[in-house]
Coordinates of all heavy atoms in Angstrom, one line a residue:
Q266 N 13.2 -2.8 -1.7 CA 12.1 -3.5 -2.3 C 10.7 -2.9 -2.0 O 10.0 -2.6 -2.9 CB 12.1 -5.0 -1.8 CG 13.2 -5.8 -2.3 CD 13.0 -6.2 -3.8 OE1 11.9 -6.2 -4.3 NE2 14.1 -6.5 -4.4
F267 N 10.5 -2.6 -0.8 CA 9.2 -2.0 -0.4 C 9.1 -0.6 -0.9 O 8.0 -0.1 -1.2 CB 8.9 -2.1 1.1 CG 8.7 -3.5 1.6 CD1 9.6 -4.1 2.4 CD2 7.6 -4.2 1.2 CE1 9.4 -5.3 2.9 CE2 7.4 -5.5 1.6 CZ 8.3 -6.0 2.5
G268 N 10.2 0.1 -1.0 CA 10.2 1.5 -1.5 C 9.7 1.5 -2.9 O 9.0 2.4 -3.4
L269 N 10.2 0.5 -3.7 CA 9.8 0.5 -5.1 C 8.3 0.2 -5.3 O 7.6 0.7 -6.1 CB 10.6 -0.6 -5.9 CG 12.1 -0.3 -6.0 CD1 12.8 -1.6 -6.6 CD2 12.3 0.9 -6.9
L270 N 7.8 -0.8 -4.4 CA 6.4 -1.1 -4.5 C 5.5 0.1 -4.1 O 4.5 0.4 -4.7 CB 6.1 -2.3 -3.6 CG 6.6 -3.6 -4.1 CD1 6.3 -4.7 -3.0 CD2 6.0 -4.0 -5.4
T271 N 6.0 0.8 -3.0 CA 5.3 2.0 -2.6 C 5.2 3.1 -3.7 O 4.2 3.7 -3.9 CB 5.9 2.6 -1.3 OG1 5.9 1.6 -0.3 CG2 5.1 3.7 -0.8
R272 N 6.4 3.3 -4.3 CA 6.4 4.3 -5.4 C 5.5 3.9 -6.6 O 4.8 4.7 -7.2 CB 7.8 4.4 -5.9 CG 8.7 5.3 -5.1 CD 10.0 5.6 -5.7 NE 11.0 5.8 -4.6 CZ 11.8 4.9 -4.2 NH1 11.9 3.7 -4.7 NH2 12.7 5.2 -3.2
K273 N 5.4 2.6 -6.8 CA 4.6 2.1 -7.9 C 3.1 2.3 -7.6 O 2.3 2.6 -8.4 CB 4.8 0.6 -8.1 CG 4.1 0.0 -9.3 CD 4.6 -1.5 -9.5 CE 3.9 -2.1 -10.6 NZ 4.3 -3.5 -10.9
I274 N 2.7 2.1 -6.3 CA 1.3 2.3 -5.9 C 0.9 3.8 -5.9 O -0.1 4.1 -6.4 CB 1.1 1.7 -4.5 CG1 1.2 0.2 -4.5 CG2 -0.2 2.1 -3.9 CD1 1.3 -0.4 -3.2
W275 N 1.8 4.7 -5.4 CA 1.4 6.1 -5.3 C 1.9 7.0 -6.4 O 1.7 8.2 -6.3 CB 2.0 6.6 -3.9 CG 1.3 6.0 -2.8 CD1 1.8 5.0 -2.0 CD2 0.1 6.3 -2.3 NE1 0.9 4.6 -1.0 CE2 -0.2 5.4 -1.2 CE3 -0.9 7.2 -2.6 CZ2 -1.3 5.5 -0.4 CZ3 -2.1 7.2 -1.9 CH2 -2.3 6.4 -0.8
S276 N 2.5 6.4 -7.4 CA 3.0 7.3 -8.5 C 1.8 7.9 -9.3 O 0.9 7.1 -9.7 CB 3.9 6.5 -9.5 OG 4.2 7.2 -10.6
P277 N 1.8 9.2 -9.5 CA 0.7 9.8 -10.3 C 0.8 9.5 -11.8 O -0.1 9.7 -12.6 CB 0.9 11.3 -10.1 CG 2.3 11.4 -9.7 CD 2.7 10.2 -9.0
H278 N 2.0 8.9 -12.2 CA 2.2 8.6 -13.7 C 1.7 7.2 -14.1 O 1.6 6.9 -15.2 CB 3.7 8.7 -14.0 CG 4.3 10.1 -13.7 ND1 3.9 11.2 -14.3 CD2 5.1 10.5 -12.7 CE1 4.5 12.3 -13.8 NE2 5.3 11.8 -12.9
N279 N 1.5 6.4 -13.1 CA 1.0 5.0 -13.4 C -0.5 5.1 -13.7 O -1.3 5.8 -13.0 CB 1.2 4.1 -12.2 CG 2.6 3.6 -12.1 OD1 3.4 3.8 -13.1 ND2 3.0 3.0 -11.0
F280 N -1.0 4.3 -14.6 CA -2.4 4.2 -14.9 C -3.1 3.6 -13.8 O -4.2 4.0 -13.4 CB -2.6 3.5 -16.2 CG -4.0 3.3 -16.6 CD1 -4.8 4.4 -17.0 CD2 -4.7 2.1 -16.6 CE1 -6.1 4.3 -17.3 CE2 -6.0 2.0 -16.9 CZ -6.7 3.1 -17.3
K281 N -2.6 2.5 -13.3 CA -3.2 1.8 -12.2 C -2.2 1.8 -11.0 O -1.1 1.5 -11.1 CB -3.4 0.3 -12.5 CG -4.4 0.1 -13.6 CD -4.6 -1.4 -13.9 CE -5.5 -1.6 -15.1 NZ -5.7 -3.0 -15.4
G282 N -2.7 2.2 -9.8 CA -1.9 2.3 -8.6 C -2.1 1.0 -7.8 O -2.6 1.0 -6.7
Q283 N -1.6 -0.1 -8.4 CA -1.8 -1.4 -7.7 C -0.6 -2.3 -8.0 O 0.1 -2.1 -9.0 CB -3.0 -2.1 -8.1 CG -3.0 -2.5 -9.6 CD -4.4 -2.9 -10.1 OE1 -5.4 -2.5 -9.5 NE2 -4.5 -3.7 -11.1
V284 N -0.4 -3.2 -7.1 CA 0.6 -4.3 -7.3 C -0.1 -5.6 -7.2 O -1.0 -5.7 -6.4 CB 1.8 -4.2 -6.4 CG1 2.6 -2.9 -6.6 CG2 1.4 -4.3 -4.9
S285 N 0.4 -6.6 -7.8 CA -0.2 -7.9 -7.7 C 0.2 -8.5 -6.4 O 1.2 -8.3 -5.8 CB 0.2 -8.8 -8.8 OG 1.6 -9.2 -8.7
P286 N -0.7 -9.4 -5.8 CA -0.4 -10.1 -4.5 C 0.9 -10.9 -4.7 O 1.7 -11.0 -3.7 CB -1.6 -10.9 -4.3 CG -2.7 -10.3 -5.0 CD -2.1 -9.7 -6.2
H287 N 1.1 -11.5 -5.8 CA 2.3 -12.3 -6.0 C 3.5 -11.5 -6.0 O 4.6 -11.8 -5.4 CB 2.2 -13.1 -7.3 CG 3.3 -14.1 -7.5 ND1 4.4 -13.9 -8.2 CD2 3.3 -15.4 -7.0 CE1 5.2 -14.9 -8.2 NE2 4.6 -15.9 -7.5
E288 N 3.5 -10.3 -6.6 CA 4.6 -9.4 -6.5 C 4.9 -8.9 -5.1 O 6.1 -8.8 -4.7 CB 4.3 -8.2 -7.4 CG 5.4 -7.2 -7.6 CD 5.1 -6.1 -8.6 OE1 3.9 -5.9 -9.0 OE2 6.0 -5.3 -8.8
L289 N 3.9 -8.6 -4.3 CA 4.1 -8.2 -2.9 C 4.7 -9.4 -2.1 O 5.6 -9.2 -1.4 CB 2.7 -7.8 -2.3 CG 2.8 -7.5 -0.9 CD1 3.6 -6.2 -0.6 CD2 1.4 -7.3 -0.3
M290 N 4.2 -10.6 -2.3 CA 4.7 -11.7 -1.6 C 6.1 -12.1 -2.0 O 6.9 -12.5 -1.1 CB 3.8 -12.9 -1.7 CG 2.5 -12.9 -0.9 SD 2.8 -12.5 0.9 CE 3.9 -13.8 1.4
Q291 N 6.5 -11.9 -3.2 CA 7.9 -12.1 -3.6 C 8.8 -11.1 -2.9 O 9.9 -11.4 -2.5 CB 8.0 -11.9 -5.1 CG 7.6 -13.1 -5.9 CD 7.8 -12.9 -7.4 OE1 7.7 -11.8 -7.9 NE2 8.1 -14.0 -8.1
A292 N 8.4 -9.8 -2.8 CA 9.2 -8.8 -2.1 C 9.3 -9.1 -0.6 O 10.3 -9.0 0.0 CB 8.5 -7.4 -2.3
V293 N 8.2 -9.6 0.0 CA 8.2 -10.0 1.4 C 9.1 -11.1 1.6 O 9.9 -11.1 2.5 CB 6.8 -10.3 1.9 CG1 6.8 -11.0 3.2 CG2 5.9 -9.0 2.0
A294 N 9.0 -12.2 0.8 CA 9.9 -13.3 0.9 C 11.4 -13.0 0.8 O 12.2 -13.4 1.6 CB 9.5 -14.4 -0.1
H295 N 11.7 -12.1 -0.2 CA 13.1 -11.7 -0.4 C 13.6 -10.8 0.8 O 14.7 -11.1 1.3 CB 13.2 -10.9 -1.7 CG 14.5 -10.4 -1.9 ND1 15.6 -11.2 -2.3 CD2 15.1 -9.1 -1.9 CE1 16.7 -10.5 -2.5 NE2 16.4 -9.2 -2.2
A296 N 12.8 -9.9 1.3 CA 13.2 -9.0 2.4 C 13.3 -9.7 3.7 O 14.1 -9.4 4.5 CB 12.2 -7.8 2.5
S297 N 12.4 -10.7 3.9 CA 12.4 -11.5 5.2 C 13.4 -12.7 5.1 O 13.4 -13.4 6.1 CB 11.0 -11.9 5.5 OG 10.6 -12.9 4.6
K298 N 14.1 -12.8 4.1 CA 15.1 -13.9 3.9 C 14.3 -15.3 4.0 O 14.7 -16.1 4.8 CB 16.2 -13.8 4.9 CG 17.1 -12.6 4.7 CD 18.2 -12.5 5.8 CE 19.1 -11.4 5.6 NZ 18.5 -10.1 5.9
K299 N 13.2 -15.3 3.3 CA 12.3 -16.5 3.3 C 11.6 -16.9 4.6 O 11.1 -18.0 4.7 CB 13.1 -17.8 2.8 CG 13.8 -17.6 1.5 CD 12.9 -17.7 0.3 CE 13.6 -17.6 -1.0 NZ 12.8 -17.7 -2.1
R300 N 11.6 -16.0 5.5 CA 10.9 -16.2 6.8 C 9.4 -16.2 6.5 O 8.7 -17.0 7.1 CB 11.3 -15.0 7.7 CG 10.7 -15.1 9.1 CD 11.2 -14.0 9.9 NE 10.5 -13.9 11.1 CZ 10.6 -12.8 12.0 NH1 11.5 -11.9 11.7 NH2 9.9 -12.7 13.0
F301 N 9.0 -15.4 5.6 CA 7.6 -15.4 5.2 C 7.5 -15.6 3.7 O 7.6 -14.7 2.9 CB 6.9 -14.0 5.5 CG 7.0 -13.6 6.9 CD1 7.9 -12.6 7.3 CD2 6.2 -14.2 7.9 CE1 8.0 -12.3 8.7 CE2 6.3 -13.9 9.2 CZ 7.2 -12.9 9.6
A302 N 7.5 -16.9 3.3 CA 7.6 -17.3 1.9 C 6.2 -17.8 1.4 O 5.3 -18.1 2.2 CB 8.6 -18.4 1.7
I303 N 6.1 -17.8 0.1 CA 4.8 -18.3 -0.5 C 4.7 -19.8 -0.2 O 5.6 -20.5 -0.4 CB 4.9 -18.0 -2.0 CG1 4.9 -16.5 -2.3 CG2 3.7 -18.7 -2.7 CD1 5.1 -16.2 -3.8
G304 N 3.5 -20.1 0.3 CA 3.2 -21.5 0.6 C 3.7 -22.0 2.0 O 3.5 -23.1 2.4
K305 N 4.3 -21.1 2.8 CA 4.8 -21.4 4.1 C 3.9 -20.7 5.1 O 3.6 -19.5 5.1 CB 6.2 -20.8 4.3 CG 6.8 -21.2 5.6 CD 8.3 -20.6 5.7 CE 8.9 -20.9 7.0 NZ 10.2 -20.2 7.2
Q306 N 3.3 -21.5 6.1 CA 2.4 -21.0 7.0 C 3.2 -20.2 8.1 O 4.2 -20.7 8.6 CB 1.6 -22.1 7.7 CG 0.5 -21.7 8.5 CD -0.4 -22.8 9.0 OE1 -0.1 -24.0 8.6 NE2 -1.5 -22.5 9.7
S307 N 2.7 -19.0 8.5 CA 3.3 -18.2 9.5 C 2.3 -17.5 10.3 O 1.1 -17.5 10.0 CB 4.1 -17.1 8.8 OG 5.1 -17.6 8.0
D308 N 2.7 -17.0 11.5 CA 1.8 -16.3 12.4 C 1.5 -14.9 11.9 O 2.4 -14.2 11.5 CB 2.5 -16.2 13.8 CG 1.7 -15.6 14.8 OD1 0.5 -15.7 14.8 OD2 2.3 -14.9 15.7
A309 N 0.2 -14.6 11.8 CA -0.3 -13.3 11.3 C 0.3 -12.1 12.1 O 0.7 -11.1 11.5 CB -1.8 -13.3 11.2
H310 N 0.3 -12.3 13.4 CA 0.7 -11.2 14.3 C 2.2 -10.9 14.1 O 2.7 -9.8 14.0 CB 0.5 -11.5 15.8 CG 1.0 -10.5 16.7 ND1 2.2 -10.6 17.3 CD2 0.4 -9.4 17.2 CE1 2.4 -9.5 18.0 NE2 1.3 -8.8 18.0
E311 N 3.0 -12.0 13.9 CA 4.4 -11.9 13.7 C 4.7 -11.2 12.3 O 5.6 -10.4 12.2 CB 5.0 -13.3 13.7 CG 6.5 -13.3 13.6 CD 7.1 -14.7 13.6 OE1 6.4 -15.6 14.1 OE2 8.3 -14.9 13.2
F312 N 3.9 -11.6 11.3 CA 4.0 -11.0 10.0 C 3.7 -9.5 10.0 O 4.4 -8.7 9.5 CB 3.1 -11.7 9.0 CG 3.1 -11.0 7.6 CD1 4.2 -11.0 6.8 CD2 2.0 -10.3 7.2 CE1 4.2 -10.4 5.6 CE2 1.9 -9.6 6.0 CZ 3.0 -9.7 5.2
L313 N 2.6 -9.1 10.7 CA 2.2 -7.7 10.7 C 3.2 -6.9 11.5 O 3.6 -5.8 11.0 CB 0.8 -7.6 11.3 CG 0.2 -6.2 11.4 CD1 0.1 -5.6 10.0 CD2 -1.1 -6.1 12.1
S314 N 3.7 -7.4 12.6 CA 4.7 -6.7 13.3 C 6.0 -6.5 12.5 O 6.6 -5.4 12.5 CB 5.1 -7.5 14.6 OG 6.1 -6.9 15.3
W315 N 6.4 -7.6 11.8 CA 7.6 -7.5 10.9 C 7.4 -6.5 9.8 O 8.3 -5.6 9.5 CB 7.9 -8.9 10.3 CG 9.1 -8.8 9.4 CD1 10.4 -8.9 9.6 CD2 8.9 -8.6 7.9 NE1 11.1 -8.7 8.5 CE2 10.2 -8.6 7.4 CE3 7.9 -8.5 7.1 CZ2 10.5 -8.4 6.1 CZ3 8.1 -8.3 5.7 CH2 9.4 -8.3 5.2
L316 N 6.2 -6.5 9.2 CA 5.9 -5.6 8.0 C 5.9 -4.2 8.5 O 6.6 -3.3 7.8 CB 4.6 -6.0 7.4 CG 4.2 -5.2 6.2 CD1 5.2 -5.3 5.0 CD2 2.8 -5.5 5.7
L317 N 5.3 -3.9 9.6 CA 5.2 -2.5 10.0 C 6.6 -2.0 10.4 O 7.0 -0.8 10.1 CB 4.2 -2.3 11.2 CG 2.8 -2.5 10.8 CD1 1.9 -2.4 12.1 CD2 2.3 -1.4 9.8
N318 N 7.4 -2.8 11.1 CA 8.7 -2.4 11.5 C 9.6 -2.2 10.3 O 10.4 -1.2 10.2 CB 9.4 -3.5 12.4 CG 10.7 -3.0 13.0 OD1 10.8 -1.9 13.5 ND2 11.7 -3.9 12.9
R319 N 9.5 -3.1 9.3 CA 10.3 -2.9 8.1 C 9.9 -1.7 7.3 O 10.8 -0.9 6.8 CB 10.1 -4.2 7.2 CG 10.9 -4.2 5.9 CD 12.4 -4.3 6.3 NE 13.1 -4.1 5.1 CZ 14.1 -4.9 4.7 NH1 14.4 -6.0 5.4 NH2 14.7 -4.7 3.6
L320 N 8.6 -1.4 7.2 CA 8.2 -0.2 6.5 C 8.7 1.1 7.2 O 9.1 2.0 6.6 CB 6.7 -0.1 6.4 CG 6.0 -1.1 5.3 CD1 4.5 -1.1 5.5 CD2 6.5 -0.7 3.9
H321 N 8.6 1.0 8.6 CA 9.1 2.1 9.4 C 10.6 2.4 9.1 O 11.0 3.5 8.9 CB 8.8 1.8 10.9 CG 9.5 2.7 11.8 ND1 9.1 4.0 12.0 CD2 10.6 2.6 12.7 CE1 9.9 4.6 12.9 NE2 10.8 3.8 13.3
L322 N 11.4 1.3 9.1 CA 12.8 1.5 8.9 C 13.1 1.9 7.4 O 14.0 2.8 7.2 CB 13.5 0.2 9.2 CG 13.5 -0.2 10.6 CD1 14.2 -1.6 10.8 CD2 14.2 0.8 11.5
D323 N 12.4 1.4 6.5 CA 12.6 1.8 5.1 C 12.2 3.2 4.8 O 12.7 3.8 3.8 CB 11.8 0.8 4.1 CG 12.4 -0.5 4.0 OD1 13.6 -0.7 4.5 OD2 11.8 -1.4 3.4
L324 N 11.3 3.8 5.6 CA 10.9 5.2 5.4 C 11.8 6.1 6.2 O 11.5 7.3 6.4 CB 9.4 5.3 5.9 CG 8.4 4.7 4.9 CD1 7.0 4.7 5.6 CD2 8.4 5.4 3.6
G325 N 12.9 5.6 6.7 CA 13.9 6.4 7.4 C 13.5 6.6 8.9 O 14.0 7.6 9.5
G326 N 12.7 5.8 9.4 CA 12.3 5.9 10.8 C 13.4 5.6 11.8 O 14.2 4.8 11.5
T327 N 13.3 6.2 12.9 CA 14.2 6.0 14.0 C 13.4 5.6 15.3 O 12.2 5.5 15.2 CB 15.1 7.2 14.3 OG1 14.3 8.3 14.7 CG2 15.9 7.6 13.1
S328 N 14.1 5.5 16.4 CA 13.4 5.2 17.7 C 12.7 6.4 18.3 O 11.9 6.3 19.2 CB 14.3 4.6 18.7 OG 15.4 5.5 19.0
K329 N 12.9 7.6 17.7 CA 12.2 8.8 18.2 C 10.7 8.8 17.8 O 10.4 8.4 16.7 CB 12.8 10.1 17.6 CG 14.3 10.3 18.0 CD 14.8 11.6 17.6 CE 14.4 12.2 16.3 NZ 15.1 13.4 15.9
P330 N 9.8 9.2 18.7 CA 8.4 9.2 18.4 C 8.1 10.1 17.2 O 8.6 11.2 17.0 CB 7.8 9.7 19.7 CG 8.8 9.5 20.7 CD 10.1 9.6 20.1
G331 N 7.2 9.6 16.3 CA 6.8 10.3 15.1 C 7.8 10.5 14.1 O 7.7 11.3 13.2
S332 N 8.8 9.6 14.0 CA 9.9 9.7 13.0 C 9.5 9.2 11.7 O 10.2 9.4 10.7 CB 11.2 9.0 13.5 OG 10.9 7.7 13.7
S333 N 8.4 8.5 11.6 CA 7.9 8.1 10.3 C 6.4 8.0 10.3 O 5.8 8.0 11.4 CB 8.4 6.7 9.8 OG 7.8 5.7 10.5
I334 N 5.7 8.0 9.2 CA 4.3 7.9 9.2 C 3.8 6.6 9.8 O 2.7 6.5 10.4 CB 3.7 8.1 7.7 CG1 2.2 8.2 7.7 CG2 4.2 6.9 6.8 CD1 1.7 9.4 8.3
I335 N 4.6 5.5 9.7 CA 4.2 4.3 10.3 C 4.2 4.4 11.8 O 3.3 4.0 12.5 CB 5.2 3.1 9.8 CG1 5.1 3.0 8.3 CG2 4.8 1.8 10.5 CD1 3.8 2.6 7.7
H336 N 5.2 5.0 12.4 CA 5.3 5.2 13.8 C 4.2 6.1 14.3 O 3.6 5.8 15.3 CB 6.7 5.8 14.2 CG 7.0 5.7 15.6 ND1 6.5 6.7 16.5 CD2 7.7 4.9 16.3 CE1 6.9 6.4 17.7 NE2 7.7 5.3 17.6
H337 N 3.9 7.1 13.6 CA 2.9 8.1 13.9 C 1.5 7.4 13.9 O 0.7 7.6 14.8 CB 2.9 9.3 13.0 CG 1.9 10.3 13.3 ND1 2.0 11.1 14.4 CD2 0.7 10.7 12.7 CE1 0.9 11.9 14.4 NE2 0.2 11.7 13.4
A338 N 1.2 6.6 12.9 CA -0.1 6.0 12.8 C -0.3 4.7 13.7 O -1.4 4.5 14.2 CB -0.3 5.5 11.3
F339 N 0.7 3.9 13.9 CA 0.5 2.7 14.6 C 1.1 2.6 16.0 O 0.8 1.7 16.8 CB 1.1 1.5 13.8 CG 0.3 1.3 12.5 CD1 0.8 1.8 11.3 CD2 -0.9 0.7 12.5 CE1 0.1 1.6 10.1 CE2 -1.6 0.5 11.4 CZ -1.1 1.0 10.2
Q340 N 2.1 3.4 16.4 CA 2.7 3.3 17.7 C 1.7 3.9 18.7 O 1.1 4.9 18.6 CB 4.0 4.1 17.7 CG 4.7 4.0 19.1 CD 5.3 2.7 19.4 OE1 5.6 1.9 18.5 NE2 5.3 2.3 20.6
G341 N 1.5 3.1 19.8 CA 0.6 3.6 20.8 C 0.9 2.9 22.1 O 1.9 2.2 22.2
M342 N 0.2 3.2 23.1 CA 0.4 2.7 24.4 C -0.8 1.7 24.7 O -1.9 1.9 24.4 CB 0.3 3.8 25.5 CG 1.5 4.7 25.4 SD 1.5 6.0 26.6 CE 1.4 5.2 28.1
V343 N -0.4 0.6 25.4 CA -1.4 -0.4 25.8 C -1.6 -0.2 27.3 O -0.7 -0.2 28.1 CB -0.8 -1.9 25.5 CG1 -1.8 -2.9 26.0 CG2 -0.5 -2.0 24.0
R344 N -2.8 -0.1 27.6 CA -3.2 0.1 29.1 C -3.7 -1.1 29.7 O -4.3 -1.9 29.1 CB -4.2 1.2 29.2 CG -3.7 2.6 28.8 CD -4.7 3.6 29.0 NE -4.2 4.9 28.4 CZ -4.8 6.0 28.6 NH1 -6.0 6.0 29.2 NH2 -4.3 7.1 28.1

């Protein structure tokens, strides 16, 4: 689901590189098995953590450092 949305956003053949918020939330609700559904209140930190992890896995990421752009950009150490 997220791969299709990412292709839609970054495709050079599309006139507009955007997706509607409703389309994004439908994909999130489907991928999270209604854990983050439209009209359902959820924790923002939990959502962001889930979204980044899901994007990392969908981009072929593994537990090795730097295995995806998500891991490279967001993984860090807390001191």
